Amino acid sequence: GEDVEQSLFLSVREGDSSVINCTYTDSSSTYLYWYKQEPGAGLQLLTYIFSNMDMKQDQRLTVLLNKKDKHLSLRIADTQTGDSAIYFCAEGVKWQAGTALIFGKGTTLSVSS
Amino acid sequence: EAGVTQFPSHSVIEKGQTVTLRCDPISGHDNLYWYRRVMGKEIKFLLHFVKESKQDESGMPNNRFLAERTGGTYSTLKVQPAELEDSGVYFCASSQDRPTYNEQFFGPGTRLTVL
């Protein structure tokens, strides 16, 4: 079955880079996603990458995809205290007539000043 | 544009009681999804509506859960009778109907506690 794995915690200092890693199992996934959840808020789509891409950069965010190893990473440059949140990796899986998201357990990023 | 809204934000009930969660998707979004996150675990897909039709309910845990979307607008998720293991955060998401990439917009979730 589908499974998405990611580390549970990451702690960095303000100004450092953060790298959150994720592995997934469904090789047919067309899109892979990173969602962010701040305390008391819903899930916010941070970025996504199409499965035929290796890398996507969006301001401070860099997504790397290794399709052979089914490994996805999110790098946040110059991490700020406002980046403290839970980050979820997700793959889009086509089931029947729709696309469901398969999530990992989330990585809690803690940024200290 | 209003985002996805969910009501209530929190619900505390006793085992055996009934609870109904509501989700209002973004206007014009035909796709509506329910997900659940049990404490410390991953967010799991429950079901998917396209307009008023259930397209996929393979993630529904058991027949104590009933989801409806009458008229293709808002959706309700009823748990009857609630059990302790039903505690968690229930998220709703909606998206437009596009042939390729379609972003799912999430609501803030309803935190359900069953005592």
Side-chain angles (χ1 to χ4, degrees), chain A residues 31 35 42 45 48 95-97 99 101 103 105, chain B residues 33 35 37 42 45 55-56 101 103-104 106-107:
Chain A
Y31 291 96
Y35 278 84
L45 180 66
Y48 65 93
W95 288 347
Q96 300 179 16
T99 299
L101 295 175
F103 287 90
K105 291 183 181 179
Chain B
Y33 306 81
Y35 293 85
R37 187 184 189 207
E42 62 276 1
F45 166 81
Q55 291 299 298
D56 183 351
Y101 170 70
E103 178 181 351
Q104 293 186 24
F106 281 77

mmCIF file with all atom_site columns, all heavy atoms in Angstrom, chain A residues 31 35 42 45 48 95-97 99 101 103 105, chain B residues 33 35 37 42 45 55-56 101 103-104 106-107:
data_model
loop_
_atom_site.group_PDB
_atom_site.id
_atom_site.type_symbol
_atom_site.label_atom_id
_atom_site.label_alt_id
_atom_site.label_comp_id
_atom_site.label_asym_id
_atom_site.label_entity_id
_atom_site.label_seq_id
_atom_site.pdbx_PDB_ins_code
_atom_site.Cartn_x
_atom_site.Cartn_y
_atom_site.Cartn_z
_atom_site.occupancy
_atom_site.B_iso_or_equiv
_atom_site.pdbx_formal_charge
_atom_site.auth_seq_id
_atom_site.auth_comp_id
_atom_site.auth_asym_id
_atom_site.auth_atom_id
_atom_site.pdbx_PDB_model_num
ATOM 1   N N   . TYR A 1 31  ? 2.129   14.115 -8.746  1.00 0.00 ? 31  TYR A N   1
ATOM 2   C CA  . TYR A 1 31  ? 2.571   15.304 -8.029  1.00 0.00 ? 31  TYR A CA  1
ATOM 3   C C   . TYR A 1 31  ? 2.930   14.941 -6.606  1.00 0.00 ? 31  TYR A C   1
ATOM 4   O O   . TYR A 1 31  ? 2.314   14.061 -6.012  1.00 0.00 ? 31  TYR A O   1
ATOM 5   C CB  . TYR A 1 31  ? 1.457   16.367 -7.997  1.00 0.00 ? 31  TYR A CB  1
ATOM 6   C CG  . TYR A 1 31  ? 1.163   16.975 -9.344  1.00 0.00 ? 31  TYR A CG  1
ATOM 7   C CD1 . TYR A 1 31  ? 0.121   16.495 -10.136 1.00 0.00 ? 31  TYR A CD1 1
ATOM 8   C CD2 . TYR A 1 31  ? 1.921   18.040 -9.817  1.00 0.00 ? 31  TYR A CD2 1
ATOM 9   C CE1 . TYR A 1 31  ? -0.143  17.052 -11.371 1.00 0.00 ? 31  TYR A CE1 1
ATOM 10  C CE2 . TYR A 1 31  ? 1.661   18.611 -11.055 1.00 0.00 ? 31  TYR A CE2 1
ATOM 11  C CZ  . TYR A 1 31  ? 0.632   18.110 -11.826 1.00 0.00 ? 31  TYR A CZ  1
ATOM 12  O OH  . TYR A 1 31  ? 0.350   18.669 -13.047 1.00 0.00 ? 31  TYR A OH  1
ATOM 13  N N   . TYR A 1 35  ? 3.084   20.561 2.565   1.00 0.00 ? 35  TYR A N   1
ATOM 14  C CA  . TYR A 1 35  ? 2.096   21.382 3.254   1.00 0.00 ? 35  TYR A CA  1
ATOM 15  C C   . TYR A 1 35  ? 2.682   21.845 4.579   1.00 0.00 ? 35  TYR A C   1
ATOM 16  O O   . TYR A 1 35  ? 3.487   21.165 5.195   1.00 0.00 ? 35  TYR A O   1
ATOM 17  C CB  . TYR A 1 35  ? 0.810   20.594 3.532   1.00 0.00 ? 35  TYR A CB  1
ATOM 18  C CG  . TYR A 1 35  ? -0.141  20.503 2.369   1.00 0.00 ? 35  TYR A CG  1
ATOM 19  C CD1 . TYR A 1 35  ? 0.015   19.525 1.385   1.00 0.00 ? 35  TYR A CD1 1
ATOM 20  C CD2 . TYR A 1 35  ? -1.214  21.386 2.254   1.00 0.00 ? 35  TYR A CD2 1
ATOM 21  C CE1 . TYR A 1 35  ? -0.867  19.451 0.318   1.00 0.00 ? 35  TYR A CE1 1
ATOM 22  C CE2 . TYR A 1 35  ? -2.100  21.314 1.199   1.00 0.00 ? 35  TYR A CE2 1
ATOM 23  C CZ  . TYR A 1 35  ? -1.918  20.344 0.228   1.00 0.00 ? 35  TYR A CZ  1
ATOM 24  O OH  . TYR A 1 35  ? -2.792  20.261 -0.824  1.00 0.00 ? 35  TYR A OH  1
ATOM 25  N N   . GLY A 1 42  ? -5.197  25.528 9.515   1.00 0.00 ? 42  GLY A N   1
ATOM 26  C CA  . GLY A 1 42  ? -5.315  24.380 8.624   1.00 0.00 ? 42  GLY A CA  1
ATOM 27  C C   . GLY A 1 42  ? -4.024  24.152 7.863   1.00 0.00 ? 42  GLY A C   1
ATOM 28  O O   . GLY A 1 42  ? -3.008  24.811 8.097   1.00 0.00 ? 42  GLY A O   1
ATOM 29  N N   . LEU A 1 45  ? -0.787  24.790 1.463   1.00 0.00 ? 45  LEU A N   1
ATOM 30  C CA  . LEU A 1 45  ? 0.134   24.266 0.460   1.00 0.00 ? 45  LEU A CA  1
ATOM 31  C C   . LEU A 1 45  ? 1.327   25.204 0.329   1.00 0.00 ? 45  LEU A C   1
ATOM 32  O O   . LEU A 1 45  ? 1.179   26.380 0.030   1.00 0.00 ? 45  LEU A O   1
ATOM 33  C CB  . LEU A 1 45  ? -0.563  24.122 -0.895  1.00 0.00 ? 45  LEU A CB  1
ATOM 34  C CG  . LEU A 1 45  ? 0.329   23.580 -2.014  1.00 0.00 ? 45  LEU A CG  1
ATOM 35  C CD1 . LEU A 1 45  ? 0.741   22.140 -1.738  1.00 0.00 ? 45  LEU A CD1 1
ATOM 36  C CD2 . LEU A 1 45  ? -0.392  23.678 -3.364  1.00 0.00 ? 45  LEU A CD2 1
ATOM 37  N N   . TYR A 1 48  ? 4.745   22.392 -4.595  1.00 0.00 ? 48  TYR A N   1
ATOM 38  C CA  . TYR A 1 48  ? 4.553   21.057 -5.121  1.00 0.00 ? 48  TYR A CA  1
ATOM 39  C C   . TYR A 1 48  ? 5.549   20.861 -6.265  1.00 0.00 ? 48  TYR A C   1
ATOM 40  O O   . TYR A 1 48  ? 6.121   21.824 -6.785  1.00 0.00 ? 48  TYR A O   1
ATOM 41  C CB  . TYR A 1 48  ? 3.125   20.858 -5.626  1.00 0.00 ? 48  TYR A CB  1
ATOM 42  C CG  . TYR A 1 48  ? 2.766   21.709 -6.814  1.00 0.00 ? 48  TYR A CG  1
ATOM 43  C CD1 . TYR A 1 48  ? 2.909   21.236 -8.115  1.00 0.00 ? 48  TYR A CD1 1
ATOM 44  C CD2 . TYR A 1 48  ? 2.279   23.007 -6.645  1.00 0.00 ? 48  TYR A CD2 1
ATOM 45  C CE1 . TYR A 1 48  ? 2.589   22.017 -9.210  1.00 0.00 ? 48  TYR A CE1 1
ATOM 46  C CE2 . TYR A 1 48  ? 1.960   23.800 -7.733  1.00 0.00 ? 48  TYR A CE2 1
ATOM 47  C CZ  . TYR A 1 48  ? 2.116   23.300 -9.012  1.00 0.00 ? 48  TYR A CZ  1
ATOM 48  O OH  . TYR A 1 48  ? 1.794   24.090 -10.090 1.00 0.00 ? 48  TYR A OH  1
ATOM 49  N N   . TRP A 1 95  ? -6.961  7.393  -7.224  1.00 0.00 ? 95  TRP A N   1
ATOM 50  C CA  . TRP A 1 95  ? -7.810  6.282  -6.845  1.00 0.00 ? 95  TRP A CA  1
ATOM 51  C C   . TRP A 1 95  ? -9.125  6.433  -7.567  1.00 0.00 ? 95  TRP A C   1
ATOM 52  O O   . TRP A 1 95  ? -9.757  7.473  -7.488  1.00 0.00 ? 95  TRP A O   1
ATOM 53  C CB  . TRP A 1 95  ? -8.109  6.300  -5.339  1.00 0.00 ? 95  TRP A CB  1
ATOM 54  C CG  . TRP A 1 95  ? -6.968  5.923  -4.473  1.00 0.00 ? 95  TRP A CG  1
ATOM 55  C CD1 . TRP A 1 95  ? -5.800  5.341  -4.862  1.00 0.00 ? 95  TRP A CD1 1
ATOM 56  C CD2 . TRP A 1 95  ? -6.875  6.099  -3.075  1.00 0.00 ? 95  TRP A CD2 1
ATOM 57  N NE1 . TRP A 1 95  ? -4.999  5.146  -3.771  1.00 0.00 ? 95  TRP A NE1 1
ATOM 58  C CE2 . TRP A 1 95  ? -5.630  5.592  -2.665  1.00 0.00 ? 95  TRP A CE2 1
ATOM 59  C CE3 . TRP A 1 95  ? -7.717  6.640  -2.101  1.00 0.00 ? 95  TRP A CE3 1
ATOM 60  C CZ2 . TRP A 1 95  ? -5.223  5.600  -1.339  1.00 0.00 ? 95  TRP A CZ2 1
ATOM 61  C CZ3 . TRP A 1 95  ? -7.312  6.648  -0.788  1.00 0.00 ? 95  TRP A CZ3 1
ATOM 62  C CH2 . TRP A 1 95  ? -6.073  6.131  -0.419  1.00 0.00 ? 95  TRP A CH2 1
ATOM 63  N N   . GLN A 1 96  ? -9.550  5.432  -8.218  1.00 0.00 ? 96  GLN A N   1
ATOM 64  C CA  . GLN A 1 96  ? -10.843 5.446  -8.870  1.00 0.00 ? 96  GLN A CA  1
ATOM 65  C C   . GLN A 1 96  ? -11.042 6.752  -9.636  1.00 0.00 ? 96  GLN A C   1
ATOM 66  O O   . GLN A 1 96  ? -10.295 7.077  -10.536 1.00 0.00 ? 96  GLN A O   1
ATOM 67  C CB  . GLN A 1 96  ? -11.958 5.202  -7.838  1.00 0.00 ? 96  GLN A CB  1
ATOM 68  C CG  . GLN A 1 96  ? -11.806 3.855  -7.127  1.00 0.00 ? 96  GLN A CG  1
ATOM 69  C CD  . GLN A 1 96  ? -12.887 3.612  -6.096  1.00 0.00 ? 96  GLN A CD  1
ATOM 70  O OE1 . GLN A 1 96  ? -13.921 4.250  -6.050  1.00 0.00 ? 96  GLN A OE1 1
ATOM 71  N NE2 . GLN A 1 96  ? -12.666 2.628  -5.248  1.00 0.00 ? 96  GLN A NE2 1
ATOM 72  N N   . ALA A 1 97  ? -12.024 7.530  -9.239  1.00 0.00 ? 97  ALA A N   1
ATOM 73  C CA  . ALA A 1 97  ? -12.349 8.728  -10.018 1.00 0.00 ? 97  ALA A CA  1
ATOM 74  C C   . ALA A 1 97  ? -11.711 9.994  -9.476  1.00 0.00 ? 97  ALA A C   1
ATOM 75  O O   . ALA A 1 97  ? -11.965 11.065 -9.971  1.00 0.00 ? 97  ALA A O   1
ATOM 76  C CB  . ALA A 1 97  ? -13.856 8.915  -10.063 1.00 0.00 ? 97  ALA A CB  1
ATOM 77  N N   . THR A 1 99  ? -8.337  12.000 -6.942  1.00 0.00 ? 99  THR A N   1
ATOM 78  C CA  . THR A 1 99  ? -6.968  11.973 -6.460  1.00 0.00 ? 99  THR A CA  1
ATOM 79  C C   . THR A 1 99  ? -6.975  12.266 -4.980  1.00 0.00 ? 99  THR A C   1
ATOM 80  O O   . THR A 1 99  ? -7.420  13.331 -4.558  1.00 0.00 ? 99  THR A O   1
ATOM 81  C CB  . THR A 1 99  ? -6.111  13.011 -7.195  1.00 0.00 ? 99  THR A CB  1
ATOM 82  O OG1 . THR A 1 99  ? -6.102  12.707 -8.582  1.00 0.00 ? 99  THR A OG1 1
ATOM 83  C CG2 . THR A 1 99  ? -4.682  12.988 -6.674  1.00 0.00 ? 99  THR A CG2 1
ATOM 84  N N   . LEU A 1 101 ? -4.768  12.554 -1.331  1.00 0.00 ? 101 LEU A N   1
ATOM 85  C CA  . LEU A 1 101 ? -3.431  12.853 -0.847  1.00 0.00 ? 101 LEU A CA  1
ATOM 86  C C   . LEU A 1 101 ? -3.063  11.856 0.236   1.00 0.00 ? 101 LEU A C   1
ATOM 87  O O   . LEU A 1 101 ? -3.847  11.603 1.147   1.00 0.00 ? 101 LEU A O   1
ATOM 88  C CB  . LEU A 1 101 ? -3.364  14.280 -0.301  1.00 0.00 ? 101 LEU A CB  1
ATOM 89  C CG  . LEU A 1 101 ? -3.582  15.401 -1.320  1.00 0.00 ? 101 LEU A CG  1
ATOM 90  C CD1 . LEU A 1 101 ? -3.605  16.753 -0.634  1.00 0.00 ? 101 LEU A CD1 1
ATOM 91  C CD2 . LEU A 1 101 ? -2.524  15.362 -2.404  1.00 0.00 ? 101 LEU A CD2 1
ATOM 92  N N   . PHE A 1 103 ? -0.467  11.387 3.162   1.00 0.00 ? 103 PHE A N   1
ATOM 93  C CA  . PHE A 1 103 ? 0.417   12.230 3.959   1.00 0.00 ? 103 PHE A CA  1
ATOM 94  C C   . PHE A 1 103 ? 1.379   11.417 4.808   1.00 0.00 ? 103 PHE A C   1
ATOM 95  O O   . PHE A 1 103 ? 1.074   10.304 5.228   1.00 0.00 ? 103 PHE A O   1
ATOM 96  C CB  . PHE A 1 103 ? -0.405  13.103 4.918   1.00 0.00 ? 103 PHE A CB  1
ATOM 97  C CG  . PHE A 1 103 ? -1.146  14.224 4.258   1.00 0.00 ? 103 PHE A CG  1
ATOM 98  C CD1 . PHE A 1 103 ? -2.436  14.043 3.792   1.00 0.00 ? 103 PHE A CD1 1
ATOM 99  C CD2 . PHE A 1 103 ? -0.563  15.478 4.133   1.00 0.00 ? 103 PHE A CD2 1
ATOM 100 C CE1 . PHE A 1 103 ? -3.128  15.085 3.198   1.00 0.00 ? 103 PHE A CE1 1
ATOM 101 C CE2 . PHE A 1 103 ? -1.245  16.523 3.543   1.00 0.00 ? 103 PHE A CE2 1
ATOM 102 C CZ  . PHE A 1 103 ? -2.530  16.321 3.076   1.00 0.00 ? 103 PHE A CZ  1
ATOM 103 N N   . LYS A 1 105 ? 3.567   11.653 8.583   1.00 0.00 ? 105 LYS A N   1
ATOM 104 C CA  . LYS A 1 105 ? 3.133   12.021 9.924   1.00 0.00 ? 105 LYS A CA  1
ATOM 105 C C   . LYS A 1 105 ? 3.457   13.472 10.259  1.00 0.00 ? 105 LYS A C   1
ATOM 106 O O   . LYS A 1 105 ? 2.989   13.990 11.261  1.00 0.00 ? 105 LYS A O   1
ATOM 107 C CB  . LYS A 1 105 ? 3.794   11.111 10.964  1.00 0.00 ? 105 LYS A CB  1
ATOM 108 C CG  . LYS A 1 105 ? 3.288   9.684  10.920  1.00 0.00 ? 105 LYS A CG  1
ATOM 109 C CD  . LYS A 1 105 ? 3.905   8.840  12.011  1.00 0.00 ? 105 LYS A CD  1
ATOM 110 C CE  . LYS A 1 105 ? 3.397   7.414  11.905  1.00 0.00 ? 105 LYS A CE  1
ATOM 111 N NZ  . LYS A 1 105 ? 3.987   6.539  12.943  1.00 0.00 ? 105 LYS A NZ  1
ATOM 112 N N   . TYR B 2 33  ? -13.161 16.831 0.005   1.00 0.00 ? 33  TYR B N   1
ATOM 113 C CA  . TYR B 2 33  ? -12.483 15.694 0.625   1.00 0.00 ? 33  TYR B CA  1
ATOM 114 C C   . TYR B 2 33  ? -12.573 15.796 2.144   1.00 0.00 ? 33  TYR B C   1
ATOM 115 O O   . TYR B 2 33  ? -12.534 16.889 2.706   1.00 0.00 ? 33  TYR B O   1
ATOM 116 C CB  . TYR B 2 33  ? -10.994 15.680 0.254   1.00 0.00 ? 33  TYR B CB  1
ATOM 117 C CG  . TYR B 2 33  ? -10.679 15.712 -1.222  1.00 0.00 ? 33  TYR B CG  1
ATOM 118 C CD1 . TYR B 2 33  ? -10.698 16.910 -1.935  1.00 0.00 ? 33  TYR B CD1 1
ATOM 119 C CD2 . TYR B 2 33  ? -10.352 14.546 -1.908  1.00 0.00 ? 33  TYR B CD2 1
ATOM 120 C CE1 . TYR B 2 33  ? -10.395 16.952 -3.293  1.00 0.00 ? 33  TYR B CE1 1
ATOM 121 C CE2 . TYR B 2 33  ? -10.044 14.571 -3.261  1.00 0.00 ? 33  TYR B CE2 1
ATOM 122 C CZ  . TYR B 2 33  ? -10.072 15.778 -3.936  1.00 0.00 ? 33  TYR B CZ  1
ATOM 123 O OH  . TYR B 2 33  ? -9.768  15.810 -5.281  1.00 0.00 ? 33  TYR B OH  1
ATOM 124 N N   . TYR B 2 35  ? -10.481 14.269 5.535   1.00 0.00 ? 35  TYR B N   1
ATOM 125 C CA  . TYR B 2 35  ? -9.291  13.591 6.033   1.00 0.00 ? 35  TYR B CA  1
ATOM 126 C C   . TYR B 2 35  ? -9.363  13.587 7.562   1.00 0.00 ? 35  TYR B C   1
ATOM 127 O O   . TYR B 2 35  ? -10.071 14.388 8.173   1.00 0.00 ? 35  TYR B O   1
ATOM 128 C CB  . TYR B 2 35  ? -8.010  14.339 5.622   1.00 0.00 ? 35  TYR B CB  1
ATOM 129 C CG  . TYR B 2 35  ? -7.693  14.347 4.152   1.00 0.00 ? 35  TYR B CG  1
ATOM 130 C CD1 . TYR B 2 35  ? -8.253  15.300 3.302   1.00 0.00 ? 35  TYR B CD1 1
ATOM 131 C CD2 . TYR B 2 35  ? -6.815  13.425 3.601   1.00 0.00 ? 35  TYR B CD2 1
ATOM 132 C CE1 . TYR B 2 35  ? -7.948  15.326 1.946   1.00 0.00 ? 35  TYR B CE1 1
ATOM 133 C CE2 . TYR B 2 35  ? -6.492  13.435 2.247   1.00 0.00 ? 35  TYR B CE2 1
ATOM 134 C CZ  . TYR B 2 35  ? -7.064  14.393 1.433   1.00 0.00 ? 35  TYR B CZ  1
ATOM 135 O OH  . TYR B 2 35  ? -6.752  14.412 0.091   1.00 0.00 ? 35  TYR B OH  1
ATOM 136 N N   . ARG B 2 37  ? -6.747  13.153 11.162  1.00 0.00 ? 37  ARG B N   1
ATOM 137 C CA  . ARG B 2 37  ? -5.449  12.912 11.775  1.00 0.00 ? 37  ARG B CA  1
ATOM 138 C C   . ARG B 2 37  ? -5.665  12.489 13.212  1.00 0.00 ? 37  ARG B C   1
ATOM 139 O O   . ARG B 2 37  ? -6.108  13.276 14.053  1.00 0.00 ? 37  ARG B O   1
ATOM 140 C CB  . ARG B 2 37  ? -4.559  14.153 11.734  1.00 0.00 ? 37  ARG B CB  1
ATOM 141 C CG  . ARG B 2 37  ? -3.142  13.840 12.222  1.00 0.00 ? 37  ARG B CG  1
ATOM 142 C CD  . ARG B 2 37  ? -2.254  15.049 12.284  1.00 0.00 ? 37  ARG B CD  1
ATOM 143 N NE  . ARG B 2 37  ? -0.865  14.644 12.539  1.00 0.00 ? 37  ARG B NE  1
ATOM 144 C CZ  . ARG B 2 37  ? 0.025   15.408 13.130  1.00 0.00 ? 37  ARG B CZ  1
ATOM 145 N NH1 . ARG B 2 37  ? -0.288  16.615 13.525  1.00 0.00 ? 37  ARG B NH1 1
ATOM 146 N NH2 . ARG B 2 37  ? 1.259   14.973 13.314  1.00 0.00 ? 37  ARG B NH2 1
ATOM 147 N N   . GLU B 2 42  ? -0.352  9.873  10.846  1.00 0.00 ? 42  GLU B N   1
ATOM 148 C CA  . GLU B 2 42  ? -0.444  10.623 9.605   1.00 0.00 ? 42  GLU B CA  1
ATOM 149 C C   . GLU B 2 42  ? -1.883  11.050 9.347   1.00 0.00 ? 42  GLU B C   1
ATOM 150 O O   . GLU B 2 42  ? -2.833  10.534 9.923   1.00 0.00 ? 42  GLU B O   1
ATOM 151 C CB  . GLU B 2 42  ? 0.081   9.786  8.427   1.00 0.00 ? 42  GLU B CB  1
ATOM 152 C CG  . GLU B 2 42  ? -0.675  8.517  8.141   1.00 0.00 ? 42  GLU B CG  1
ATOM 153 C CD  . GLU B 2 42  ? -0.213  7.348  9.008   1.00 0.00 ? 42  GLU B CD  1
ATOM 154 O OE1 . GLU B 2 42  ? 0.683   7.533  9.851   1.00 0.00 ? 42  GLU B OE1 1
ATOM 155 O OE2 . GLU B 2 42  ? -0.767  6.266  8.837   1.00 0.00 ? 42  GLU B OE2 1
ATOM 156 N N   . PHE B 2 45  ? -6.791  9.916  4.405   1.00 0.00 ? 45  PHE B N   1
ATOM 157 C CA  . PHE B 2 45  ? -7.922  10.183 3.536   1.00 0.00 ? 45  PHE B CA  1
ATOM 158 C C   . PHE B 2 45  ? -9.141  9.376  4.006   1.00 0.00 ? 45  PHE B C   1
ATOM 159 O O   . PHE B 2 45  ? -9.022  8.192  4.337   1.00 0.00 ? 45  PHE B O   1
ATOM 160 C CB  . PHE B 2 45  ? -7.538  9.789  2.112   1.00 0.00 ? 45  PHE B CB  1
ATOM 161 C CG  . PHE B 2 45  ? -8.682  9.688  1.149   1.00 0.00 ? 45  PHE B CG  1
ATOM 162 C CD1 . PHE B 2 45  ? -9.203  10.820 0.549   1.00 0.00 ? 45  PHE B CD1 1
ATOM 163 C CD2 . PHE B 2 45  ? -9.230  8.457  0.828   1.00 0.00 ? 45  PHE B CD2 1
ATOM 164 C CE1 . PHE B 2 45  ? -10.249 10.733 -0.354  1.00 0.00 ? 45  PHE B CE1 1
ATOM 165 C CE2 . PHE B 2 45  ? -10.275 8.357  -0.074  1.00 0.00 ? 45  PHE B CE2 1
ATOM 166 C CZ  . PHE B 2 45  ? -10.782 9.498  -0.673  1.00 0.00 ? 45  PHE B CZ  1
ATOM 167 N N   . GLN B 2 55  ? -17.363 9.752  -4.700  1.00 0.00 ? 55  GLN B N   1
ATOM 168 C CA  . GLN B 2 55  ? -16.516 9.124  -5.700  1.00 0.00 ? 55  GLN B CA  1
ATOM 169 C C   . GLN B 2 55  ? -15.668 8.014  -5.098  1.00 0.00 ? 55  GLN B C   1
ATOM 170 O O   . GLN B 2 55  ? -15.340 7.032  -5.755  1.00 0.00 ? 55  GLN B O   1
ATOM 171 C CB  . GLN B 2 55  ? -15.599 10.162 -6.336  1.00 0.00 ? 55  GLN B CB  1
ATOM 172 C CG  . GLN B 2 55  ? -16.335 11.155 -7.202  1.00 0.00 ? 55  GLN B CG  1
ATOM 173 C CD  . GLN B 2 55  ? -17.047 10.482 -8.352  1.00 0.00 ? 55  GLN B CD  1
ATOM 174 O OE1 . GLN B 2 55  ? -16.426 9.860  -9.206  1.00 0.00 ? 55  GLN B OE1 1
ATOM 175 N NE2 . GLN B 2 55  ? -18.376 10.577 -8.376  1.00 0.00 ? 55  GLN B NE2 1
ATOM 176 N N   . ASP B 2 56  ? -15.278 8.214  -3.863  1.00 0.00 ? 56  ASP B N   1
ATOM 177 C CA  . ASP B 2 56  ? -14.368 7.262  -3.238  1.00 0.00 ? 56  ASP B CA  1
ATOM 178 C C   . ASP B 2 56  ? -14.538 7.378  -1.736  1.00 0.00 ? 56  ASP B C   1
ATOM 179 O O   . ASP B 2 56  ? -14.290 8.437  -1.169  1.00 0.00 ? 56  ASP B O   1
ATOM 180 C CB  . ASP B 2 56  ? -12.926 7.597  -3.639  1.00 0.00 ? 56  ASP B CB  1
ATOM 181 C CG  . ASP B 2 56  ? -11.901 6.607  -3.099  1.00 0.00 ? 56  ASP B CG  1
ATOM 182 O OD1 . ASP B 2 56  ? -12.271 5.744  -2.277  1.00 0.00 ? 56  ASP B OD1 1
ATOM 183 O OD2 . ASP B 2 56  ? -10.733 6.700  -3.498  1.00 0.00 ? 56  ASP B OD2 1
ATOM 184 N N   . TYR B 2 101 ? -3.247  19.125 -12.552 1.00 0.00 ? 101 TYR B N   1
ATOM 185 C CA  . TYR B 2 101 ? -2.965  19.536 -11.188 1.00 0.00 ? 101 TYR B CA  1
ATOM 186 C C   . TYR B 2 101 ? -4.156  20.283 -10.607 1.00 0.00 ? 101 TYR B C   1
ATOM 187 O O   . TYR B 2 101 ? -4.674  21.205 -11.221 1.00 0.00 ? 101 TYR B O   1
ATOM 188 C CB  . TYR B 2 101 ? -1.740  20.451 -11.165 1.00 0.00 ? 101 TYR B CB  1
ATOM 189 C CG  . TYR B 2 101 ? -1.538  21.113 -9.830  1.00 0.00 ? 101 TYR B CG  1
ATOM 190 C CD1 . TYR B 2 101 ? -1.144  20.374 -8.732  1.00 0.00 ? 101 TYR B CD1 1
ATOM 191 C CD2 . TYR B 2 101 ? -1.802  22.462 -9.659  1.00 0.00 ? 101 TYR B CD2 1
ATOM 192 C CE1 . TYR B 2 101 ? -0.997  20.964 -7.495  1.00 0.00 ? 101 TYR B CE1 1
ATOM 193 C CE2 . TYR B 2 101 ? -1.649  23.065 -8.432  1.00 0.00 ? 101 TYR B CE2 1
ATOM 194 C CZ  . TYR B 2 101 ? -1.243  22.303 -7.346  1.00 0.00 ? 101 TYR B CZ  1
ATOM 195 O OH  . TYR B 2 101 ? -1.108  22.890 -6.135  1.00 0.00 ? 101 TYR B OH  1
ATOM 196 N N   . GLU B 2 103 ? -5.020  21.918 -6.849  1.00 0.00 ? 103 GLU B N   1
ATOM 197 C CA  . GLU B 2 103 ? -4.641  22.134 -5.464  1.00 0.00 ? 103 GLU B CA  1
ATOM 198 C C   . GLU B 2 103 ? -5.827  21.909 -4.540  1.00 0.00 ? 103 GLU B C   1
ATOM 199 O O   . GLU B 2 103 ? -6.933  22.399 -4.803  1.00 0.00 ? 103 GLU B O   1
ATOM 200 C CB  . GLU B 2 103 ? -4.109  23.544 -5.271  1.00 0.00 ? 103 GLU B CB  1
ATOM 201 C CG  . GLU B 2 103 ? -3.729  23.854 -3.818  1.00 0.00 ? 103 GLU B CG  1
ATOM 202 C CD  . GLU B 2 103 ? -3.228  25.269 -3.627  1.00 0.00 ? 103 GLU B CD  1
ATOM 203 O OE1 . GLU B 2 103 ? -3.005  25.961 -4.651  1.00 0.00 ? 103 GLU B OE1 1
ATOM 204 O OE2 . GLU B 2 103 ? -3.067  25.686 -2.477  1.00 0.00 ? 103 GLU B OE2 1
ATOM 205 N N   . GLN B 2 104 ? -5.594  21.178 -3.492  1.00 0.00 ? 104 GLN B N   1
ATOM 206 C CA  . GLN B 2 104 ? -6.622  20.997 -2.470  1.00 0.00 ? 104 GLN B CA  1
ATOM 207 C C   . GLN B 2 104 ? -6.406  22.056 -1.385  1.00 0.00 ? 104 GLN B C   1
ATOM 208 O O   . GLN B 2 104 ? -5.322  22.160 -0.828  1.00 0.00 ? 104 GLN B O   1
ATOM 209 C CB  . GLN B 2 104 ? -6.539  19.588 -1.866  1.00 0.00 ? 104 GLN B CB  1
ATOM 210 C CG  . GLN B 2 104 ? -6.903  18.503 -2.866  1.00 0.00 ? 104 GLN B CG  1
ATOM 211 C CD  . GLN B 2 104 ? -6.968  17.120 -2.248  1.00 0.00 ? 104 GLN B CD  1
ATOM 212 O OE1 . GLN B 2 104 ? -7.172  16.960 -1.052  1.00 0.00 ? 104 GLN B OE1 1
ATOM 213 N NE2 . GLN B 2 104 ? -6.796  16.106 -3.085  1.00 0.00 ? 104 GLN B NE2 1
ATOM 214 N N   . PHE B 2 106 ? -7.335  23.385 2.264   1.00 0.00 ? 106 PHE B N   1
ATOM 215 C CA  . PHE B 2 106 ? -7.781  22.773 3.511   1.00 0.00 ? 106 PHE B CA  1
ATOM 216 C C   . PHE B 2 106 ? -8.428  23.777 4.454   1.00 0.00 ? 106 PHE B C   1
ATOM 217 O O   . PHE B 2 106 ? -8.023  24.942 4.526   1.00 0.00 ? 106 PHE B O   1
ATOM 218 C CB  . PHE B 2 106 ? -6.594  22.117 4.220   1.00 0.00 ? 106 PHE B CB  1
ATOM 219 C CG  . PHE B 2 106 ? -6.218  20.789 3.653   1.00 0.00 ? 106 PHE B CG  1
ATOM 220 C CD1 . PHE B 2 106 ? -5.507  20.705 2.467   1.00 0.00 ? 106 PHE B CD1 1
ATOM 221 C CD2 . PHE B 2 106 ? -6.594  19.608 4.287   1.00 0.00 ? 106 PHE B CD2 1
ATOM 222 C CE1 . PHE B 2 106 ? -5.167  19.474 1.922   1.00 0.00 ? 106 PHE B CE1 1
ATOM 223 C CE2 . PHE B 2 106 ? -6.256  18.370 3.756   1.00 0.00 ? 106 PHE B CE2 1
ATOM 224 C CZ  . PHE B 2 106 ? -5.541  18.303 2.581   1.00 0.00 ? 106 PHE B CZ  1
ATOM 225 N N   . GLY B 2 107 ? -9.395  23.276 5.197   1.00 0.00 ? 107 GLY B N   1
ATOM 226 C CA  . GLY B 2 107 ? -9.976  24.047 6.282   1.00 0.00 ? 107 GLY B CA  1
ATOM 227 C C   . GLY B 2 107 ? -9.126  23.901 7.538   1.00 0.00 ? 107 GLY B C   1
ATOM 228 O O   . GLY B 2 107 ? -8.167  23.127 7.549   1.00 0.00 ? 107 GLY B O   1
#
